[in-house]
Structure formats: C-alpha cells, structure tokens
Amino acid sequence: MSGRQLIVVDVHTTGPSFEVHDAFELAAIDTSTGRVWELAFALTSSQLGRADPTFLQMSGYDRRRLADKAQDDAPRIEAELAALGDALAGNTLGGADPEIHAAFLSKVFHRQGIRSLWHHLPADIAALTAGAQGLPATNIPRLEMCCELWDVELAELPSALERARAVAECFAAFDLSNGRASAEAAAQR
C-alpha cells in the first residue's frame, strides 16, 4: 500500500461548470498533519455577472462577507496556494465532490502558476459511504446524507471549511468502521 496522505478539499464556486464559473472560496485539510487552508478569492464584475445566484446564496457569499475576506486574504494567497500545492504533491485529494473540486482547484492553481501534482485517483467519501453502507451503486449520497450515516455534524449552509471538516470526519469514521484506524495505531506502537 502506498504512503499517500489524504488532503480533503472543498471549493465554493460561482456555478457548476469549471469552464465557465470560478472558485471564490477554498478550504483544505491535511488529515495527517491537521494543517488547514481557508482562502477566499476576489471575484471580478465579469465573474459575478456569470455567477449562478443560487450558488452564491447557498454558500453564503454575501451573508459571510466573502468579498471582504478575499481582500484580507489577497496578500497571503500566493504563499498559501504554493504550500497547498506542496502538500498535495503525490498525495490523494479527497472530498464530497472530488472530481469537480479538483477541476476548480486546478484552475486556481493554473492562474497562480502552480502545477496540479496530486495522485490521479481521488477519494470520494460519497462513493465510499455508499459501499460501506450497502447502498446501490446508483444511489450515491450527497454530503448531508454521508454525515447523517457517519453521525457527523454539518452546519446548515456550511462554509467550505465546515464542509471540509465534515468530510474529514466522515473519512475518519469510514476508516474506523473498517478497522483501519485501530490497525494503524497498533502498527505505530
């Protein structure tokens, strides 16, 4: 088995298409070290014009004043994204929608001149939950249901960081249910 680490990533976006829409909030958690990234990105008037209002509302873009947070985060974005890129290099990107979040993260990295070097197979907590809970392959649960099935709390209208933390807790519960966590602890003794 590989020594890859799990980096949970969650992204809030202006819409569903990474080709048309943009990320405005990013959270990541390195589950092996506990390192957390939480960043907001400024949106141009053009990006806001293409935004799906439902996506902005559900993420709390105005309510949580993410445009102001983006201003505060601007000076540290380059260094934080470089550190995240280093943490992801060769490791496993995981999440509740890892393929689409990886696509948006790749777009963010590309704009900063950072290469996307994580392992090509993402860890999808929804697919893992379906298998572990005996759900049909055509009934992959959303994050809210995964949290319910793993007894993990998830805030109503969560931030990207709240979603990433919930996903990390779901992965931990999944590992524990499979005896992985206890086997790893025994191996470290």
Side-chain angles (χ1 to χ4, degrees), residues 106-128:
S106 290
K107 188 174 177 179
V108 168
F109 275 10
H110 178 75
R111 288 181 176 160
Q112 293 291 322
I114 299 169
R115 291 184 51 201
S116 305
L117 299 173
W118 52 82
H119 189 269
H120 68 283
L121 295 175
D124 185 338
I125 193 59
L128 292 170

Side-chain angles (χ1 to χ4, degrees), residues 5 14 27 30 32 62 66 71 74 77-78 92-93 106 108 149 169 174:
Q5 301 302 322
T14 59
D30 182 332
S32 65
D62 291 325
L66 289 173
Q71 296 268 326
I77 283 177
E78 186 176 333
T92 299
L93 183 151
S106 290
V108 168
L149 291 168
E169 288 180 36
F174 170 81

Side-chain angles (χ1 to χ4, degrees), residues 10 15 18 39 42 64 75 82-83 88 99 104 110 139 145 165 178 183 187:
D10 197 86
F18 71 91
L39 298 167
R64 295 189 303 115
L88 279 163
E99 291 87 4
F104 276 103
H110 178 75
N139 193 19
M145 179 57 73
R165 283 193 171 127
N178 288 310

Side-chain angles (χ1 to χ4, degrees), residues 8 12 24 26-27 54 70 73 76 83 88 90 97 114 119 121 123 128 135 137 148 151 161 164 170 182:
V8 173
H12 278 167
F24 58 83
L26 162 71
T54 304
D73 289 353
R76 63 188 190 93
L88 279 163
D97 295 309
I114 299 169
H119 189 269
L121 295 175
L128 292 170
L135 301 174
E148 185 176 318
D151 197 27
L161 183 57
C170 287
S182 56

Side-chain angles (χ1 to χ4, degrees), residues 141-159:
R142 295 183 47 79
L143 177 57
E144 295 79 7
M145 179 57 73
C146 291
C147 289
E148 185 176 318
L149 291 168
W150 293 117
D151 197 27
V152 170
E153 279 192 47
L154 179 64
E156 188 175 332
L157 301 176
S159 69

